[in-house]
Each structure stands twice: as structure tokens, then as C-alpha cells.
Amino acid sequence: MNSAKIRDVHIAAAHDGEAELLVTLEYANGGRTQVTLDEFAARVLLSSCQTEKPDDLIGADWVLVRDALIASSERYADNTTNE
């Protein structure tokens, strides 16, 4: 299976005024899609790529984006309580 790579990265403001990272993924067939990462996911992605600069993410594999989104989502799972 051909993997997508990060093609482009932009910092943007979310509706709540917090920073987001807009990541463009490019597939082997030339198709592209944009993924929005909240601040938590962006920090996870930067850390997994061992960088502090968004531009250094270009060329990274999409699975790192997926893993960052999963980490961001799972941070809420630990805060649930049974009622």
C-alpha cells in the first residue's frame, strides 16, 4: 500500500482563537487532503518528528498524523467516569 506524505503545513486560528495546524497530505496518485490538528495533536506530531518547526514536518508519513489525532482523542477517554 502506498502511503501519503505531508506535503504542506500551515498554522491557522480555530473558531475559539486557539492555534491549529492545517496539514496537507499527498497520496502517491497525486490526490491531496487536508487534516486539521488541534494544539495537542500538533504538539504530538511535532514531538514524534523531533522538531519544533512545522515546516520540518514536510515529507513525514501520514501515520504520524494519524497517531497524533488518536493521541489527541484518547486524552479525553481517561477523563470519563461511570455514572
Side-chain angles (χ1 to χ4, degrees), residues 8-47:
D8 200 13
V9 179
H10 293 285
I11 298 172
H15 69 279
D16 58 3
E18 296 292 323
E20 297 182 321
L21 201 59
L22 302 177
V23 176
T24 302
L25 299 175
E26 184 173 56
Y27 300 91
N29 66 2
R32 292 184 184 178
T33 191
Q34 194 171 63
V35 179
T36 304
L37 284 78
D38 64 13
E39 183 181 354
F40 187 93
R43 288 182 189 275
V44 170
L45 179 60
L46 289 164
S47 177

Side-chain angles (χ1 to χ4, degrees), residues 42-62:
R43 288 182 189 275
V44 170
L45 179 60
L46 289 164
S47 177
S48 68
C49 291
Q50 300 177 349
T51 187
E52 294 179 4
K53 299 177 185 175
D55 288 342
D56 291 344
L57 299 172
I58 295 173
D61 196 274
W62 81 274

